[in-house]
Amino acid sequence: MNEDDANDASEAEAIAWLEEFQRSEYGRLKLPLPTPSKQIPSQDFGVPHARGSKYDDPDMRQVVFRMAVEVESGLSSRSTARPIIGFLPQGSPRAIHVDHPSGRTLLVFHRGQFEFFSRMITVLIRICPIRKRFSECTLEELSFDSSWRDHDRYYETFPALVYALLAASLDVRLPAKQIAESIVERGQAVLDLDATELDMSSRLADCLTGFVIGHELGHSVQREAFIVMGSFGTDDPEVKTHLKNALSEGMADRVGIGLAYARNRAHNRDPEESYVGTMLFYVLGLFLDDFIHLFRDGRPSSRDAVDSLTHPALGMRFEKAQADIKQFEKDPTKLERGETLAASFFAVLSEFVPVLQNCIDAWREQGLYTQLATEFGGTWDGSWDGAKPDSSAVDDSETNCES
């Protein structure tokens, strides 16, 4: 058997496993399987067509595969067999790295992974008063001040912010867009961006996506470099597992930052965009975590709480990533601009919190929190009574973002 035949056989075996995994996940969530697709992607982005599951959109798979090929090019040694891309049914921004027994690597993303980040970035760009490359801005222009506090822009973008959060957290069968648009008389859940805003949003989303894929590829790299030392001073198997995985995630973050910076630089992305794109992964993840915890429990998430036995807390990863970036970007001016802009976007999200809290309180009173996705503790029973949040919770006094 030649190398091409071996690759074809391992690919078919890995894809069969992926399709079985998808059927299991759709069955677990009692969701209908997508209609199988045999079409080829409408665009190839200059790379071979990516084979994958019949349950996935081939165009979306090709977009992610193209990015994976670009990011992977930064590795000094890499397999000739490209990663296989797949998608899972839920809407949260999660991803899974799978080393299949066939020898193939699978990168499996939840369907809402890229949509959530993209929707949130469009909100931030619409609020942002800057309409030129961030690399051309002074620190004063990048700093959060009164020019970032435009009441109308916050009011009109609020449904889009809520739509992004609901689509990523509610059961996927619920009308997140309808719920979001019901809370404000004007404003749309899907923003109509002009050409400049669209370019700014797509560049940041592109950099963020590069980091996400770089992180997942980082798990493959560390197989050669990662050595577990001793017993971590404990005999508790769960503690050992968490500590090992925490080191693994930290290494994957670091590799992902390096791969993303190299890829972004090769594709004419500014260092400031790479910095902000990477940090927005953590900032937006923390924002979504807070939303889910407030929605479900009535209180925000803890910044140092253990996320799971596979991932350390996002807050811890955020702080480490800030230090890691400095290993790949040595220009202090670009670092300072990136840090300043990231802080401004974080401040924008903070401005939304009071009115968002009002909506969450109203939804909790109506029991809508039971409609969260299963992975977030939801108990959806297959029905929805059409309850809408109290629109009086979103009035001019509450949405005025002046502090």
Side-chain angles (χ1 to χ4, degrees), residues 11 41 47 69 79 85 151 194 210 293 318 326 343 348 374 376 392:
E11 182 176 67
V47 298
V69 170
S79 169
I85 306 299
H151 170 75
D194 62 32
H293 278 78
F318 174 91
K326 294 177 182 178
V348 168
T374 304
F376 301 129
S392 66

Side-chain angles (χ1 to χ4, degrees), residues 235-307:
D235 294 324
D236 187 319
E238 287 197 350
V239 173
K240 283 184 182 180
T241 298
H242 174 66
L243 291 174
K244 178 180 177 180
N245 286 328
L247 288 175
S248 172
E249 290 299 320
M251 290 184 67
D253 278 351
R254 184 179 176 82
V255 172
I257 290 170
L259 289 175
Y261 257 76
R263 178 265 167 192
N264 295 343
R265 190 180 302 112
H267 288 77
N268 195 33
R269 300 295 184 253
D270 297 326
E272 292 85 351
E273 293 169 327
S274 286
Y275 186 102
V276 173
T278 299
M279 299 316 298
L280 280 179
F281 168 79
Y282 301 102
V283 169
L284 295 177
L286 287 167
F287 194 70
L288 178 61
D289 277 354
D290 277 349
F291 176 79
I292 291 169
H293 278 78
L294 283 167
F295 204 172
R296 185 186 63 211
D297 308 324
R299 60 181 182 275
S301 59
S302 171
R303 287 291 176 263
D304 56 359
V306 173
D307 177 49

